[in-house]
Amino acid sequence: MTEFAQLRALVFDVFGTVVDWRTGVIREATRIGGPNHPDLDWAAFADAWRGRYNPSMELVRNGTLPWMTLDALHRQSLDELLIEFGATDLTPGQRDELVLAWHRLDPWPDVVAGLTRLRTKYVIGTLSNGGVGLLVDMAKRAALPWDLVLSADLVGHYKPDAETYRLPGRLLGVGPDQVMLVAAHLSDLLAARGQGLRTCFIPRPLEYGPAREPDSVDAATDIDVVQANFGDLATYLGC
Amino acid sequence: MTEFAQLRALVFDVFGTVVDWRTGVIREATRIGGPNHPDLDWAAFADAWRGRYNPSMELVRNGTLPWMTLDALHRQSLDELLIEFGATDLTPGQRDELVLAWHRLDPWPDVVAGLTRLRTKYVIGTLSNGGVGLLVDMAKRAALPWDLVLSADLVGHYKPDAETYRLPGRLLGVGPDQVMLVAAHLSDLLAARGQGLRTCFIPRPLEYGPAREPDSVDAATDIDVVQANFGDLATYLGC
């Protein structure tokens, strides 16, 4: 714990770490698309949509696409997916509404209480590839008590580009080692570590549902802290 | 009121509009500098410090200085002022502490209750020349319930440069006319209006103390809304 005496801010990955995207997207997709397509496998649809998340951002990262928000990428991949899933009758209005599913996700049960404790001692913020508008909508709906909403939007780069991890320290006027990234994904944490941030892994075993193994760590993984949930992290950090 | 049916976000000028900078700076300067200089007129010192606010930012706006945060500008002008006021014995540590006076300002009495009502219906955020770190420190200390902390920092331009006013709509994915700037200063409001934002003037008659007349408006002023305080604005907007 003394090793974290200089820690000033905790920034959080959002999709998967803070909120359960899969349950929320299945719920919204079933609500919006279900009446016309009662037999469509909306869980498979949610998984396929999430499957296009990284490839779509990669097109921005490598310069194939200009900067665009995650909402815009979600809309592009949705249009492609609806062809694949045979649901091309969804109207433009229904598609816009479906993109907003990603704004309406519920936090894991430990999140709100844990963040409320953590913010008594630290600046807490998002550090997400979701857009600022998305993150604000989500926070208001789910009562996430962020001090600061930080997004890939603010630097025009998606994680794991280095610019994203440098943002919190720069804006707060503190060193990168005074900022800790909290995430359920090793690729995110290791990229943050490469920019000098402290790192905390929180396993989210249900993130991908039954179909896919979530990330896990062992003693050899180069992560500062592993805690079971946000409440345990608050206890560990003395909040 | 129907004219504001499309309004999504309220962004607030901070120094003078949300917080009483003069009382706070006098308090902190007296605490830090007073023991060594009991006869110094710390109110005049606070006024003189604020007097250097706009000229110092102008050097950034016109390119004489590179981008630097308001904390850095405050530190530069403090060093000059301490010569002028004959208090050059303040140590570097005391000077750093004195710059933090601007992080430790109290809100006007109507602010917290008013913002709490406004945020039930709108996204509320800062739109300040103060840095992100300053604004977060201030919000945590004073329990200001911002959804979003927006700062000149994020665009590398100080108000009234146009880039600052375009930021909220761009980040939230809404039109400039779906954003209202709330401020006690006409120059800020008229610059925002020039970028298509809606505008609300809140008079803060005590901002400058007895020495200087605050801004006021009449029927000819091109401002959308004038309300006496944040509570009246919440009532006016149906919150």
Side-chain angles (χ1 to χ4, degrees):
Chain A
M1 270 300 304
T2 52
E3 62 179 318
F4 298 119
Q6 301 303 313
L7 193 63
R8 286 285 308 282
L10 302 172
V11 293
F12 294 77
D13 172 62
V14 169
F15 300 114
T17 303
V18 171
V19 296
D20 173 5
W21 57 265
R22 189 171 189 269
T23 303
V25 171
I26 294 171
R27 179 195 67 227
E28 292 289 306
T30 304
R31 179 178 69 78
I32 295 162
N36 280 12
H37 298 277
D39 297 329
L40 196 150
D41 182 348
W42 292 106
F45 174 86
D47 291 335
W49 205 359
R50 178 68 171 181
R52 289 175 181 247
Y53 174 71
N54 246 313
S56 70
M57 289 186 299
E58 188 54 31
L59 296 176
V60 175
R61 289 191 203 103
N62 69 22
T64 306
L65 289 178
W67 175 258
M68 54 178 75
T69 65
L70 190 60
D71 278 353
L73 292 174
H74 274 149
R75 176 57 192 262
Q76 285 194 355
S77 53
L78 174 64
D79 289 342
E80 296 162 10
L81 270 188
L82 290 174
I83 296 170
E84 191 178 310
F85 278 78
T88 52
D89 58 322
L90 264 66
T91 65
Q94 286 177 311
R95 293 170 192 226
D96 290 345
E97 181 75 6
L98 200 36
V99 166
L100 294 179
W102 297 91
H103 298 218
R104 297 173 184 150
L105 304 175
D106 293 329
W108 300 108
D110 53 290
V111 163
V112 173
L115 290 179
T116 302
R117 289 171 61 195
L118 290 163
R119 87 187 290 254
T120 62
K121 191 166 169 183
Y122 300 102
V123 173
I124 62 167
T126 58
L127 190 65
S128 172
N129 284 333
V132 169
L134 179 157
L135 294 167
V136 167
D137 281 352
M138 177 191 284
K140 287 182 87 80
R141 180 182 172 280
L144 304 173
W146 305 122
D147 294 310
L148 199 49
V149 172
L150 298 182
S151 159
D153 257 9
L154 297 174
V155 287
H157 285 271
Y158 282 114
K159 293 192 293 183
D161 283 357
E163 291 83 349
T164 57
Y165 302 107
R166 294 183 192 139
L167 181 67
R170 173 163 72 77
L171 292 178
L172 294 171
V174 301
D177 60 342
Q178 295 181 272
V179 178
M180 177 181 278
L181 178 70
V182 181
H185 311 122
L186 288 181
S187 58
D188 197 7
L189 292 167
L190 295 174
R193 184 130 186 98
Q195 297 304 317
L197 276 69
R198 313 308 295 262
T199 50
C200 172
F201 177 73
I202 304 280
R204 294 300 189 189
L206 301 176
E207 175 178 0
Y208 300 105
R212 186 179 140 188
E213 196 73 13
D215 282 357
S216 63
V217 294
D218 61 29
T221 316
D222 192 16
I223 297 292
D224 292 308
V225 181
V226 178
Q227 294 291 328
N229 56 54
F230 288 11
D232 285 3
L233 176 59
T235 301
Y236 177 77
L237 290 173
C239 302
Chain B
M1 270 300 303
T2 52
E3 62 179 317
F4 298 119
Q6 301 303 312
L7 193 64
R8 286 284 309 280
L10 301 172
V11 293
F12 294 79
D13 172 64
V14 170
F15 300 113
T17 303
V18 171
V19 295
D20 173 6
W21 58 264
R22 190 172 188 268
T23 303
V25 171
I26 294 171
R27 179 194 68 229
E28 292 290 305
T30 304
R31 178 176 71 76
I32 296 161
N36 280 12
H37 297 277
D39 298 330
L40 196 151
D41 182 348
W42 292 107
F45 174 86
D47 291 336
W49 205 0
R50 178 67 171 181
R52 289 174 182 249
Y53 174 70
N54 246 313
S56 70
M57 288 187 299
E58 187 55 29
L59 297 176
V60 176
R61 288 191 203 103
N62 69 24
T64 305
L65 288 177
W67 175 257
M68 53 179 73
T69 65
L70 190 60
D71 279 353
L73 292 175
H74 274 149
R75 177 57 190 266
Q76 286 194 354
S77 53
L78 174 63
D79 289 343
E80 296 162 11
L81 269 187
L82 290 174
I83 297 170
E84 190 179 312
F85 279 77
T88 52
D89 58 322
L90 263 67
T91 65
Q94 286 177 310
R95 293 170 194 228
D96 289 346
E97 181 75 4
L98 200 35
V99 165
L100 295 179
W102 298 90
H103 298 218
R104 298 174 183 150
L105 304 175
D106 293 327
W108 301 107
D110 53 290
V111 163
V112 174
L115 291 179
T116 302
R117 290 170 61 195
L118 288 163
R119 87 187 291 252
T120 61
K121 191 167 168 183
Y122 300 103
V123 173
I124 62 167
T126 58
L127 191 64
S128 172
N129 284 332
V132 168
L134 179 157
L135 294 168
V136 167
D137 281 352
M138 176 191 285
K140 286 182 87 81
R141 179 181 172 280
L144 303 173
W146 304 122
D147 294 310
L148 199 50
V149 172
L150 298 182
S151 159
D153 258 7
L154 297 174
V155 287
H157 286 271
Y158 282 115
K159 292 192 294 182
D161 283 356
E163 290 84 350
T164 57
Y165 303 107
R166 293 183 193 137
L167 181 66
R170 173 164 71 76
L171 292 178
L172 294 171
V174 301
D177 60 343
Q178 295 181 271
V179 178
M180 177 181 277
L181 178 69
V182 181
H185 311 123
L186 288 182
S187 59
D188 198 6
L189 291 167
L190 295 175
R193 184 132 186 97
Q195 297 304 318
L197 275 68
R198 312 310 294 263
T199 52
C200 172
F201 177 73
I202 304 280
R204 294 299 189 190
L206 301 176
E207 175 177 1
Y208 299 105
R212 184 178 141 189
E213 195 74 12
D215 282 356
S216 63
V217 294
D218 60 29
T221 316
D222 191 17
I223 297 293
D224 292 309
V225 181
V226 179
Q227 294 291 328
N229 56 55
F230 287 11
D232 284 5
L233 176 60
T235 300
Y236 176 77
L237 290 172
C239 301

